[in-house]
């Protein structure tokens, strides 16, 4: 005997075996595992089933266990005779409620438990989000107290605001969203764009919009909030001159996007011109260095050299100086005269020497044009076209306070 009759669980006998007595069933099981042809057994016992499925309708075998949920009998189903084990011990289940004590059990009770767990997780998540949102709202709303009057904005505030608004104001003019995509258009460098945004945030002129910003952009650790500055929305914290009849700030926003050029002093424009020229020169330098496969990050020395160059040459001419310096260095590298590290380090020195020699010997350096990969940035448009009204001359002429 393969199994004692009393070990078999007959309570939920498959209907296809109902015409057989318990003795016949155990005899059938014995003959099956003794290796008799399954098609013959099906015929002998008049069972309507495909040969490969026969074992699956055998009444299961009682285990020593009781169900965790309903105290019902836990049973082992039979396996195919071609398998190494006759009983599928790891497929055990409760004959009453069908519970299988495994993590992926799909019985009614387990499904219900999982649903409760999910609901609880969701509830906790919603609670946490609410708490986080409240902290964020409170933090940034308190900054609104430091409101600025439109008239009191500095020239730097105004030019930076024009850049931010032109690059990042939403279509409906409701939110300011300086995304990572917008940052590339703002200024010639990531650092400068970040500085522009940072300056306005530091002065509480732009306030993080705690109500509409994406919560994932914020992190709260030990009461301190940090956030991804190019992934949140901002509000203007400026009181317009005409705030009474300009509730939606349309007039204010327009004035900030297209600042009145009469407000800007020559000194301010000259300093900002040099700054933009410096950033555009460094941008071109990095672009050309990368193009020839040099890895380079500009440091103190580079800044000093380029500050000198933009005081004496137009950006168009600095483009030429950079281009020639890199061409000369790569030629020497390719000729085997110097190694790659030496070649890339020599570029800055070479730019400096070219600039000094050109001045000393009175060379005229031909200006290069802008290139497609480095289009004019928004700060350059605001400064040269809107404020100074010199357009392309901002690129093709040497910075001067005499324009
Ligand atoms: Zn059960
Ligand atoms: Zn279950």
């Amino acid at each position: 005997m393969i199994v004692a009759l009393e070990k078999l669980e007959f309570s939920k006998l498959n209907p296809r075996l109902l015409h057989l007595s318990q003795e016949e069933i155990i005899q059938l099981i014995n003959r099956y595992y003794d290796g008799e042809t399954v098609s013959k057994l099906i015929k002998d016992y008049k069972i309507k089933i495909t040969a490969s499925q026969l074992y699956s309708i055998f009444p299961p075998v009682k285990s020593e266990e009781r169900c965790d949920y309903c105290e019902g009998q836990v049973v082992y189903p039979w396996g195919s005779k071609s398998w190494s084990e006759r009983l599928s011990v790891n497929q055990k289940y409760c004959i009453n409620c069908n519970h299988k004590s495994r993590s992926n059990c799909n019985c009614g009770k387990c499904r219900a438990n999982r649903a409760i767990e999910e609901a609880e997780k969701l509830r906790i998540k919603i609670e946490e989000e609410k708490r986080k949102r409240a902290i964020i709202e409170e933090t940034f709303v308190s900054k609104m107290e430091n409101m600025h009057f439109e008239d009191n904005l500095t020239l730097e505030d105004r030019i930076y605001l024009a850049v931010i608004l032109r690059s990042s104001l939403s279509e409906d003019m409701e939110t300011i969203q300086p995304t990572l995509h917008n940052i590339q258009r703002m200024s010639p460098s990531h650092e400068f764009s970040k500085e522009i945004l940072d300056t306005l945030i530091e002065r509480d002129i732009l306030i993080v919009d705690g109500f509409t910003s994406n919560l994932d952009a914020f992190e709260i650790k030990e009461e301190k909030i940090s956030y991804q500055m190019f992934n949140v929305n901002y509000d203007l914290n400026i009181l317009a001159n005409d705030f009474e009849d300009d509730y939606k700030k349309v007039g204010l926003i327009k004035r900030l996007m297209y600042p009145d050029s009469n407000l800007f002093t020559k000194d301010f424009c000259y300093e900002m011109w040099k700054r933009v020229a410096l950033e555009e020169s460094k941008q071109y330098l990095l672009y050309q260095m990368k193009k020839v496969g040099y890895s380079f990050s500009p440091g103190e020395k580079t800044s000093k050299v380029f500050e000198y160059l933009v005081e004496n040459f137009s950006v168009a001419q600095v483009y030429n100086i950079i281009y020639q310096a890199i061409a000369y260095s790569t030629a020497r590298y390719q000729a085997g005269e110097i190694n790659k590290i030496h070649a890339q380090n020599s570029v800055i020195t070479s730019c400096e020497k070219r600039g000094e020699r050109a001045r000393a010997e009175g060379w005229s350096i031909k200006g290069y044009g802008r290139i497609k990969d480095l289009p004019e940035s928004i700060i350059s448009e605001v400064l040269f076209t809107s404020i100074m009204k010199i357009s392309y001359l901002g690129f093709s002429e040497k910075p001067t306070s005499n324009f």
Side-chain angles (χ1 to χ4, degrees):
M1 270 299 183
I2 190 160
V3 63
L5 188 62
E6 63 273 17
K7 289 292 275 179
L8 286 179
E9 176 62 53
F10 285 103
S11 69
K12 288 198 176 164
L13 190 62
N14 190 292
R16 282 180 267 207
L17 299 177
L18 282 175
H19 61 289
L20 301 175
S21 69
Q22 293 187 354
E23 285 71 21
E24 283 169 322
I25 289 171
I26 201 157
Q27 196 182 45
L28 164 66
I29 295 173
N30 271 303
R31 287 175 64 184
Y32 173 83
Y33 288 106
D34 276 347
E36 280 195 40
T37 332
V38 183
S39 50
K40 182 168 186 296
L41 293 175
I42 289 173
K43 210 180 267 172
D44 285 357
Y45 290 90
K46 300 188 174 61
I47 303 169
K48 286 193 181 112
I49 197 158
T50 55
S52 62
Q53 292 298 309
L54 178 63
Y55 74 90
S56 69
I57 62 170
F58 293 160
V61 176
K62 294 172 190 167
S63 76
E64 302 295 318
E65 291 173 53
R66 289 279 158 180
C67 173
D68 295 336
Y69 288 151
C70 70
E71 290 283 310
Q73 177 66 59
V74 172
V75 296
Y76 304 129
W78 292 93
S80 161
K81 64 180 173 184
S82 61
W83 299 353
S84 55
E85 303 289 337
R86 281 179 184 159
L87 289 176
S88 296
V89 175
N90 57 3
Q91 298 291 324
K92 64 184 177 185
Y93 62 95
C94 167
I95 196 72
N96 181 41
C97 73
N98 219 20
H99 173 59
K100 307 169 183 65
S101 39
R102 294 200 309 267
S103 59
N104 63 349
C105 175
N106 227 5
C107 77
K109 178 87 173 156
C110 280
R111 283 209 307 266
N113 282 350
R114 275 201 294 273
I116 291 167
E117 264 172 46
E118 291 296 315
E120 180 61 10
K121 267 190 213 154
L122 189 65
R123 194 189 62 77
I124 291 170
K125 188 167 173 252
I126 291 171
E127 283 296 309
E128 276 172 2
E129 285 183 352
K130 260 196 202 158
R131 202 179 55 86
K132 188 174 175 186
R133 178 71 77 189
I135 295 172
I136 292 165
E137 283 171 5
E138 197 186 310
T139 305
F140 293 107
V141 162
S142 70
K143 287 180 181 286
M144 292 266 181
E145 286 165 18
N146 185 18
M147 186 173 260
H148 292 254
F149 289 100
E150 183 181 355
D151 279 346
N152 293 348
L153 293 171
T154 67
L155 296 179
E156 190 178 61
D157 297 338
R158 289 176 191 270
I159 188 169
Y160 286 179
L161 275 166
V163 171
I164 294 288
L165 290 172
R166 287 197 199 183
S167 63
S168 313
L169 185 65
S170 65
E171 253 331 285
D172 60 8
M173 311 222 309
E174 294 285 333
T175 39
I176 299 165
Q177 304 164 312
T179 60
L180 281 174
H181 169 74
N182 295 339
I183 190 178
Q184 291 182 338
R185 299 167 50 232
M186 282 181 201
S187 84
S189 73
H190 190 97
E191 292 73 32
F192 193 20
S193 299
K194 191 171 172 295
E195 185 185 319
I196 291 171
L197 183 56
D198 250 341
T199 304
L200 297 172
I201 296 170
E202 284 292 309
R203 295 178 185 163
D204 292 339
I205 292 172
L206 288 182
I207 308 273
V208 172
D209 182 344
F211 298 91
T212 66
S213 293
N214 181 357
L215 273 186
D216 296 338
F218 298 86
E219 204 174 323
I220 304 178
K221 257 191 198 150
E222 288 157 16
E223 309 286 300
K224 274 204 173 140
I225 299 183
S226 57
Y227 60 95
Q228 300 156 9
M229 63 189 289
F230 288 100
N231 200 12
V232 296
N233 302 337
Y234 296 87
D235 281 325
L236 281 177
N237 193 29
I238 300 170
L239 194 62
N241 293 335
D242 54 354
F243 72 95
E244 275 176 346
D245 49 32
D246 188 21
Y247 173 69
K248 291 205 87 182
K249 295 190 172 181
V250 177
L252 171 68
I253 287 172
K254 204 171 148 200
R255 286 194 297 281
L256 294 175
M257 283 178 91
Y258 306 98
D260 179 1
S261 62
N262 294 318
L263 295 170
F264 292 83
T265 63
K266 294 228 179 236
D267 277 351
F268 177 83
C269 291
Y270 175 52
E271 291 305 319
M272 195 53 79
W273 188 351
K274 283 191 293 186
R275 177 71 199 274
V276 172
L278 177 67
E279 298 294 339
E280 287 185 343
S281 300
K282 284 202 273 187
Q283 181 191 31
Y284 184 78
L285 171 74
L286 287 174
Y287 173 84
Q288 292 294 357
M289 293 280 239
K290 198 173 163 204
K291 216 170 168 187
V292 296
Y294 289 171
S295 62
F296 175 77
S297 56
E300 216 38 21
K301 162 113 195 258
T302 308
S303 291
K304 286 280 160 286
V305 169
F306 281 85
E307 278 164 22
Y308 163 76
L309 289 175
V310 298
E311 292 213 9
N312 293 288
F313 301 96
S314 68
V315 178
Q317 288 172 314
V318 177
Y319 266 32
N320 182 331
I321 291 169
I322 293 168
Y323 189 89
Q324 298 300 337
I326 292 177
Y328 178 67
S329 124
T330 47
R332 289 183 66 204
Y333 166 56
Q334 275 156 9
E337 290 174 36
I338 48 176
N339 66 27
K340 194 170 177 182
I341 302 290
H342 185 172
Q344 64 193 37
N345 287 343
S346 74
V347 171
I348 303 304
T349 321
S350 171
C351 286
E352 185 182 27
K353 278 190 190 146
R354 274 158 208 277
E356 282 179 327
R357 284 223 317 265
R359 280 197 70 206
E361 296 167 22
W363 301 346
S364 71
I365 294 178
K366 187 178 168 293
Y368 281 18
R370 282 199 193 276
I371 56 171
K372 194 170 91 268
D373 287 350
L374 307 178
E376 188 177 14
S377 66
I378 292 175
I379 190 157
S380 161
E381 284 169 17
V382 173
L383 180 66
F384 301 130
T385 305
S386 302
I387 297 175
M388 295 170 70
K389 306 199 187 300
I390 60 170
S391 303
Y392 196 69
L393 298 181
F395 179 80
S396 65
E397 295 296 314
K398 174 181 110 171
T400 165
S401 55
N402 194 13
F403 51 88

